[in-house]
């Protein structure tokens, strides 16, 4: 397998022809505006042209494009598309790195316990928390779901935030020092679990009303409109300005490859003023990188609020589980000053092991594991029905936001992610998705109506891996058709094109999505 993967890596590199290039002057904030055109600083002008050629949108839908069946490039896993399809290492991961991958996997699945505990390397949970392990939310590294029936809410949560209230807060927000401001009592996230002796913050209360949509040919699709509240609040009412934003856990595959996309390729697709008049005005999310303090491009999370896999992992440790790391030293997690009972409880710091509850190299290993979860190979890419659906996907305008392909950086941090032609089907920009999907919560650059375009690779394996077919940021859509029909705002034109298609065409477009 590794011989094949290395051969393919060399083949793709030869096809594209990578070479170094001069860098573009100006920082990320400048390049996101009009001060400097975004440029690939890892390629020469000649090789940049070749990359532009290989990533140019296709006009031939009679056959698959070269390497289309390998959405993760040479890192694509050829493993069977079964319930473990999202849990394989990159196929081109060097043998010497396999140990770190498996150690990271063990830590990703590790169950943390409350303090004090005899298992001192595992205590520090909470005291308020949403999950005891990363795996609890990302079951088999897959997609979360809303609580339905007897299923608990572990893979779904409520983010809590409000807008700035005064000049000082507005200054913090404008400088990217803060993404928003937490509830003064409940913090940044509703924790529905707590260690023994402490009250949980409350439970997710979700109800639905149905809104039928009639498609071409008379078919009716009932869309579920969710209504959110907090049941059994443990610490009194929320602040009147606090908003609730429901989020389900995202699939873990390919995120290292996403981090390896050159920022210039994402910025090049931004059109915040819609100068080309196509109705699509994607905006980059600029955020402050915690370790360096620099403003950079956000690309992870439902609102692109995190710039790196490592920062995403550190945030999940601190807020979801209540575990401190070297990057985010919050041993009491999301407990606020108003929750004195929480702050009075012992933490899990063991001085002999380090100054935080998850001392190095825990964060490094979980980040490495997360960065090297492979994208599964495409299925049925050559089938006539799939190719027809692909044409319809492009004709409807879906590819305007769900950009099919990129070539990753030549100088990527991990060699397994370097020089790869990948097919994530996302532009990683913020888009106004209309009032129907709005959560009313601003997160950094993202308004209450904006969301990052989620990657589509692996979406056809959602039910196989995760045991359900719930989609969108809050799982309201029960299938792909419902997810499309919820699109509004900048995506309204594409949504309307889908709704107007004959039934057989809609079926073909869904078949294409199921092949990803």
């Amino acid at each position: 397998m590794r011989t094949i993967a290395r051969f393919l890596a060399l083949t793709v590199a030869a096809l594209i022809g990578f070479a170094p290039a001069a860098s573009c002057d100006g920082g990320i904030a400048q390049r996101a505006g009009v001060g400097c055109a975004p440029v690939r600083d890892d390629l020469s002008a000649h090789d940049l042209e070749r990359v532009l050629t290989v990533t140019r949108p296709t006009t031939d839908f009679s056959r698959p494009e070269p390497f289309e069946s390998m959405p993760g490039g040479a890192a694509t896993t050829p493993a069977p598309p079964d319930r473990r399809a999202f849990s394989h290492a990159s196929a081109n991961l060097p043998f010497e790195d396999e140990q770190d991958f498996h150690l990271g996997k063990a830590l990703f699945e590790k169950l943390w316990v409350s303090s004090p505990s005899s298992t001192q390397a595992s205590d520090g949970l909470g005291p308020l928390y949403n999950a005891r392990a990363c795996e609890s939310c990302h079951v088999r590294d897959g997609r979360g779901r809303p609580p339905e029936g007897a299923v608990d809410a572990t893979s779904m949560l409520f983010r809590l935030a409000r807008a700035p209230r005064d000049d000082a807060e507005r200054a913090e927000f404008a400088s990217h020092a803060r993404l928003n401001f937490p509830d003064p009592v409940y913090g940044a996230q509703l924790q529905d679990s707590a260690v023994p002796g402490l009250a949980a913050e409350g439970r997710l209360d979700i109800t639905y009303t149905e809104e039928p949509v009639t498609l071409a040919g008379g078919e009716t699709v009932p869309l579920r409109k969710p209504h959110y509240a907090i049941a059994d609040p443990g610490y009194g009412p929320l602040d009147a300005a606090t908003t609730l934003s429901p989020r389900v856990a995202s699939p873990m595959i390919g995120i290292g490859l996403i981090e390896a996309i050159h920022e210039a390729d994402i910025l090049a697709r931004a059109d915040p003023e819609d100068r080309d008049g196509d109705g699509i005005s994607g905006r980059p999310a600029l955020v402050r990188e915690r370790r360096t303090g620099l403003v950079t491009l956000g690309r992870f999370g439902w609102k692109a609020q995190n710039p790196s896999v490592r920062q995403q992992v550190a945030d999940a440790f601190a807020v979801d589980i209540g575990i401190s790391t070297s990057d985010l030293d919050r041993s009491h997690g999301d407990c606020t000053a108003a929750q004195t009972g929480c702050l009075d409880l012992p933490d899990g710091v063991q001085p002999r092991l380090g100054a935080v509850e998850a001392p190095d190299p825990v964060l490094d290993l979980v980040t490495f594991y997360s960065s090297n979860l492979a994208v599964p190979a495409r299925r049925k890419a050559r089938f006539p029905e799939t190719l027809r659906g692909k044409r319809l996907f492009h004709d409807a305008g879906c590819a305007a936001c769900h950009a099919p392909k990129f070539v990753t950086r030549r100088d990527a941090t991990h060699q397994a992610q370097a020089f790869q032609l990948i097919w994530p089907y996302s532009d990683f920009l913020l888009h106004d998705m209309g009032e129907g999907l709005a959560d009313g919560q601003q997160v950094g650059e993202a308004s209450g109506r904006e969301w990052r375009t989620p990657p589509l690779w692996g979406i056809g394996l959602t039910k196989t891996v995760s045991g359900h077919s719930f989609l969108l940021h809050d799982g309201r859509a029960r299938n792909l058709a419902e997810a499309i029909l919820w699109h509004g705002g900048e995506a309204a034109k594409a949504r309307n094109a889908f709704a107007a298609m004959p039934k057989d065409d809609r079926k073909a477009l869904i078949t294409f999505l199921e092949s990803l």
Side-chain angles (χ1 to χ4, degrees):
M1 183 189 302
R2 295 192 181 285
T3 301
I4 294 172
R6 292 179 193 282
F7 169 76
L8 288 169
L10 292 172
T11 303
V12 173
L15 171 68
I16 297 171
F18 290 87
S23 63
C24 174
D25 292 334
I28 179 73
Q30 184 182 8
R31 279 175 277 169
V34 295
C36 177
V39 171
R40 285 287 295 262
D41 59 4
D42 59 331
L43 304 173
S44 69
H46 172 71
D47 291 324
L48 175 60
E49 180 59 34
R50 300 182 70 179
V51 169
L52 292 174
T53 298
V54 79
T55 56
R56 186 170 295 133
T58 187
T59 56
D60 180 5
F61 299 99
S62 65
R63 58 185 176 178
E65 299 171 67
F67 304 104
E68 187 176 359
S69 62
M70 299 178 61
T76 304
T77 175
D82 57 20
R83 66 199 302 264
R84 302 299 303 180
F86 289 180
S87 298
H88 300 286
S90 301
N92 59 347
L93 191 69
F95 176 78
E96 58 269 22
D97 288 338
E98 287 190 357
Q99 176 175 280
D100 284 351
F101 180 84
H102 290 293
L103 288 171
K105 176 180 176 64
L107 290 166
F108 188 86
E109 297 172 351
K110 174 190 178 79
L111 290 171
W112 296 84
V113 298
S114 59
S115 304
S117 169
S118 59
T119 56
Q120 293 185 349
S122 299
D123 64 354
L125 176 68
L128 292 164
Y129 62 94
N130 291 100
R132 293 182 58 199
C134 306
E135 170 79 7
S136 300
C137 293
H138 303 276
V139 179
R140 292 184 292 278
D141 304 293
R143 187 184 303 272
R145 57 170 295 164
E148 305 269 336
V151 178
D152 65 26
T154 302
S155 61
M156 183 178 185
L157 51 81
F158 284 165
R159 297 288 293 175
L160 310 175
R162 62 169 175 81
R165 285 175 166 161
D166 53 37
D167 288 345
E169 289 186 347
R170 281 188 282 273
E172 282 189 275
F173 182 81
S175 68
H176 304 284
R178 300 287 291 268
L179 294 171
N180 50 32
F181 296 85
D183 185 86
V185 174
Y186 288 86
Q189 193 161 293
L190 182 77
Q191 266 96 22
D192 57 2
S193 297
V195 300
L198 185 67
E201 291 184 325
R203 296 182 294 105
L204 280 64
D205 184 3
I206 309 172
T207 57
Y208 297 97
T209 54
E210 287 199 347
E211 297 183 349
V213 175
T214 303
L215 310 180
E219 179 183 353
T220 299
V221 176
L223 299 184
R224 301 192 309 172
K225 182 178 180 179
H227 307 274
Y228 297 108
I230 296 175
D232 304 323
Y235 298 85
L238 291 177
D239 186 90
T242 298
T243 56
L244 299 179
S245 181
R247 314 280 178 87
V248 296
S250 298
M252 299 291 294
I253 56 171
I255 59 177
L257 291 166
I258 293 171
E259 187 165 1
I261 297 171
H262 198 289
E263 65 188 29
D265 286 349
I266 297 175
L267 294 175
R269 300 189 65 88
D271 185 16
E273 304 301 326
D274 191 20
R275 293 179 178 176
D276 60 7
D278 66 352
I280 308 297
S281 52
R283 301 192 305 114
L286 302 183
V287 298
R288 193 167 292 280
E289 207 278 329
R290 186 178 297 122
R291 300 181 79 194
T292 65
L294 299 176
V295 175
T296 187
L297 182 68
R299 58 184 82 189
F300 299 104
W302 284 105
K303 299 218 175 193
Q305 66 268 25
N306 278 317
S308 67
V309 177
R310 185 183 179 97
Q311 189 156 315
Q312 183 88 355
V313 171
D315 283 3
F317 264 124
V319 182
D320 297 353
I321 309 177
I323 296 294
S324 57
T325 62
S326 55
D327 281 23
L328 195 52
D329 186 2
R330 293 172 58 176
S331 61
H332 284 79
D334 193 37
C335 294
T336 66
Q339 295 170 320
T340 55
C342 181
L343 296 176
D344 287 342
L345 291 171
D347 60 31
V349 176
Q350 307 294 332
R352 63 186 178 82
L353 299 177
V356 292
E357 292 165 318
D360 294 337
V362 171
L363 183 58
D364 292 334
L365 291 168
V366 175
T367 300
F368 185 81
Y369 170 74
S370 302
S371 298
N372 285 283
L373 284 164
V375 182
R378 285 278 303 279
R379 286 91 47 218
K380 303 180 180 180
R382 295 182 177 277
F383 281 35
E385 181 83 347
T386 304
L387 292 168
R388 180 177 163 219
K390 179 182 176 182
R391 176 181 59 79
L392 292 164
F393 179 88
H394 282 258
D395 288 349
C398 304
C401 298
H402 290 284
K405 49 191 171 176
F406 293 87
V407 172
T408 58
R409 302 182 67 110
R410 180 181 187 275
D411 55 354
T413 302
H414 301 304
Q415 192 60 30
Q417 278 101 46
F419 313 143
Q420 302 304 316
L421 173 62
I422 63 172
W423 304 73
Y425 283 89
S426 172
D427 60 6
F428 305 101
L429 297 171
L430 299 172
H431 293 277
D432 182 337
M433 294 300 292
E435 192 59 35
L437 289 177
D439 66 347
Q441 187 172 109
Q442 183 154 9
V443 181
E445 299 278 347
S447 74
R449 291 167 54 104
E450 288 181 311
W451 300 93
R452 181 203 70 157
T453 307
L456 297 181
W457 52 13
I459 198 168
L461 290 172
T462 297
K463 190 165 187 178
T464 300
V465 172
S466 301
H468 65 81
S469 56
F470 297 111
L471 299 170
L472 299 179
H473 68 280
D474 56 1
R476 71 177 68 186
R478 292 164 290 193
N479 51 55
L480 286 161
E482 289 186 18
I484 295 169
L485 293 171
W486 269 111
H487 283 48
E490 296 174 43
K493 185 177 178 180
R495 177 259 184 214
N496 292 340
F498 174 77
M501 289 178 187
K503 184 174 182 179
D504 286 349
D505 283 356
R506 293 196 301 269
K507 181 175 179 293
L509 194 152
I510 296 298
T511 296
F512 164 68
L513 293 175
E514 290 173 342
S515 77
L516 297 179

